[in-house]
Amino acid sequence: MVWKIDDMIAVLSVEDKVKLVVGVGRAKEVPGAAGETRSVKDVKPISLTDGPSGVRIEGSGDLWYYATAFPAPIMLASTWNPEVVEEVGKAMGEEAKYYNISVLLAPGLNIHRHPLCGRNFEYFSEDPLLSGVMAATFVRGVQSTGVAATLKHFVANEQEVNRRIVDTIVSEKALREIYLKAFEIAIKEGDPWAIMCSYNKLNGVYTCQSEWLLTQVLRNEWGFKGLVMTDWGAGDNPVEQIKAGTDLIMPGNDDIVKWVIEAVNRGALPIHYLDRAVKKVLELIERTATARESRREIDWKKHSEVAYRAAVEGVVLLKNNGILPLKPGTRVAVFGTGQVETLKSGMGSGHNHPRYVVTILEGLKKSEVIVDEELSSRYENYVLSKRGKDKLDKLYRDEILLEHIPQDIVSEEDVAKYAERNDVALIVITRISGEGWDRKSVKGDFYLTDDEQKLIDIVSKYFHSKEKKVIVILNIAGPVEIVSWRDKVDAILVIWLPGQEAGKVVADILLGRVSPSGKLPITFPKDWKDVPVAKSSECYPGIPQDNPRFVVYCEDIYVGYRYYDTFGIEPAYEFGYGLSYTKFEYRDIKVEKTGTSVKVSLDVINVGAYPGKEVVQIYIKAPKGRIPKPFQELKGFKKTKLLKPGEKERIEITIPIRELASFDPDRKLWVVEPGEYQVRVGTSSRDIRLIASFTISEEHVFAP
Ligand code: BGC
């Protein structure tokens, strides 16, 4: 780079400056990338692209930008392992750099408020701490390569229906404690170089046009030093956006350039606002200079291993009646089209184009189980006849919404035959979702279809009659209803959207090459009527309505487990839940309080028969005080190393006193109320193994 920021600003005309802060529209430098800045004087354009599950550049003709498909963020969160998430971020940064991309439009860290938001798979969790920590480490990984990471979508963009106009009505308390909190943690711990304001309005104002959000909270209170860009086409007034604190309008077009120049000339946009934005754009270009240095070859094999490691740690075992792990040589009958059209990711900008996807069937065939090939080839032929070969070949290169096709293509007599000649049955159930639409609380989406239920019924009936067991694999973008069928099967594995190594991950988990260590980053409700957003429908005109103008966050701070725990509602599987093939014991808890923090330490011992990793979760139950609080909140977590049978690890988790605070909307302060705080150490939010306490003797207050 030959220029210096201040010297450059001094020589730029108003038109030059405006061109720098408004993207070019269709990307030319890297055709198919999501966006690009403009070339102005000696300032060269930089390219930006998605996304959270892998680098996404849309090729055409013979030009394909293959990139590794990593597990979706919902699965990264299920690992509860920041180290693997950092590795994924680094690998994605390297691939972005390889394609001359300077800014990666990830991670997404909106909150899973609504279990059926179409983009939940692109977001981490219903909990702000887990989301924020995962995002921070992802950012550190990406930025270690010189590529900028972008936190998105700031903020309160928890539904897709009408996302460009919907007005999210939410209290300042819920915003601060839940929705902003995830971003605050990611910014303070990850130092991202960019953030993307969202499409929606927040309490009446488009987020990209909210000075309160972008200047007061983000920059003044949190000290964010990076660049703010709009989501693609967000908001309705670029001048208001720049005034509010937006620095880069994306994807941009010439009409917006004219609009902003005219506003400057007319005095409607004082030049200092424009200069502020220009400076941020130039800083971002300067910060990412190394991303545009000579192209370094990618070790694709190594990246596929990163994708595999992250996915295998994110598999969640919900149920196991002793059937898993399988022994080598087990004869397996695989039912369901998902064995062939395995979903690697969701749809929309959170999708990408890997060179291959190992389907569940391919993964199993290469493993030490013996697949009933005749049965699987029936599913293969069925899928081919229903979808067509072209569509299937393109499945992993294009995003295709696959309509549900009946799964019960086998007759009862056939199932009886398969039960006779195999040792175990595997049923694959899939659910996809994507940008621009939300899932629905109906059969075929949240609920299983009749044909899926029937398949479970007949397979269970005939396999159980032969004393053989049935395993269900959920290849899903978000929660489904499980209670109505879970007693009919023996084991349930959630593999989410596991990326390109899907089949290998499934085979290794089934065979116990790796013991499952994923934990749910969300609650699986028993039924739709139990979900907080369904309950608050009287004051909630949002989804599932088709054309909502508002969405009211009536449940306030009681999001996810905060709701189920506070109001005594039993979920199907709670936040933080996940089984292992081995067993862990928790011992010798010690709590040490200083003036600024609380240190919790304890031993975790593997008392089972397999090597495994455990996720230690610390929930704090605050004393009853003046400010409303949920029953308990996650305040720390740590995944152990791989513990061999009999091995022990001492875990230490430090919680800053500040993180115990609740937001007091009357005083506009964070307040830690005095009293006895309970430290609840669990292997899930409801399986609490150790309890201790500490006392806060006087009130602590913190400015936001
Ligand atoms: C999405 C963003 C994405 C952008 C560019 C928008 O529609 O909401 O998440 O980064 O497109 O592809």
Side-chain angles (χ1 to χ4, degrees), residues 345-389:
S345 80
M347 298 166 55
S349 54
H351 153 98
N352 80 334
H353 307 289
R355 283 191 167 69
Y356 63 85
V357 171
V358 183
T359 64
I360 293 176
L361 180 57
E362 287 164 350
L364 292 175
K365 278 186 178 171
K366 280 195 196 131
S367 78
E368 291 158 292
V369 297
I370 302 159
V371 173
D372 190 316
E373 303 224 10
E374 187 259 329
L375 169 60
S376 286
S377 67
R378 283 179 69 179
Y379 274 99
E380 275 179 314
N381 293 335
Y382 173 62
V383 169
L384 273 176
S385 71
K386 286 281 179 186
R387 308 290 192 203
K389 180 151 175 18

Side-chain angles (χ1 to χ4, degrees), residues 53 68-81 83-85 87-88 302-317 342-345 357-358 474-475 493-510 514-519 613 639:
S53 316
T68 308
F70 295 94
I74 192 172
M75 188 168 203
L76 294 181
S78 302
T79 68
W80 294 62
N81 185 347
E83 279 164 33
V84 302
V85 175
E87 270 194 321
V88 169
K302 202 172 131 220
H303 285 195
S304 69
E305 286 160 12
V306 172
Y308 166 82
R309 271 201 298 280
V312 93
E313 278 212 21
V315 172
V316 184
L317 178 63
T342 307
L343 300 173
K344 70 172 197 308
S345 80
V357 171
V358 183
L474 296 173
N475 178 197
L493 275 173
V494 180
I495 65 160
W496 304 114
L497 303 169
Q500 67 183 40
E501 303 302 322
K504 182 165 161 35
V505 168
V506 169
D508 284 358
I509 290 279
L510 288 176
V514 182
S515 179
S517 66
K519 303 274 183 172
K613 294 184 180 182
K639 194 160 198 173

Side-chain angles (χ1 to χ4, degrees), residues 34 50 56 105 119 152-153 163 196 199 231-232 349 435:
D50 296 297
R56 177 186 72 97
L105 304 172
R119 292 187 87 172
K152 69 188 190 184
H153 310 89
R163 62 180 174 157
M196 182 191 288
Y199 281 126
D231 198 343
W232 267 227
S349 54
E435 185 175 343

Side-chain angles (χ1 to χ4, degrees), residues 149-168:
T150 311
L151 303 186
K152 69 188 190 184
H153 310 89
F154 192 53
V155 65
N157 179 192
E158 273 81 29
Q159 69 177 41
E160 288 297 290
V161 172
N162 277 8
R163 62 180 174 157
R164 283 169 185 270
I165 54 152
V166 82
D167 189 357
T168 303

Side-chain angles (χ1 to χ4, degrees), residues 100 111 197 234 253 344 376-377 417 434 460 482 500 509 549 618 637 653:
N100 202 23
I111 294 290
C197 47
N253 60 47
K344 70 172 197 308
S376 286
S377 67
K417 175 181 82 185
S460 305
I482 295 184
Q500 67 183 40
I509 290 279
R549 303 278 139 166
I618 301 197
F637 63 89
I653 297 174

Side-chain angles (χ1 to χ4, degrees), residues 73-81 112 123-127 130-131 134 313-319 474 476-480 482 486 492-496 516-526 560-561 564 571-580 614-615 617 619 634 637 639 683-686:
I74 192 172
M75 188 168 203
L76 294 181
S78 302
T79 68
W80 294 62
N81 185 347
H112 292 225
Y123 308 142
F124 296 107
S125 168
E126 66 187 26
D127 179 80
L130 183 57
S131 304
M134 290 303 174
E313 278 212 21
V315 172
V316 184
L317 178 63
L318 295 183
K319 173 171 181 174
L474 296 173
I476 50 178
V480 290
I482 295 184
R486 71 175 164 197
I492 308 172
L493 275 173
V494 180
I495 65 160
W496 304 114
S517 66
K519 303 274 183 172
L520 293 179
I522 54 170
T523 307
F524 270 47
K526 272 191 162 168
Y561 68 89
Y564 294 89
Y573 296 101
E574 72 268 17
F575 176 79
Y577 177 90
L579 302 172
S580 166
E614 168 69 317
V615 179
Q617 304 161 39
Y619 297 86
L634 181 75
F637 63 89
K639 194 160 198 173
T683 179
S684 84
S685 58
R686 290 189 171 217

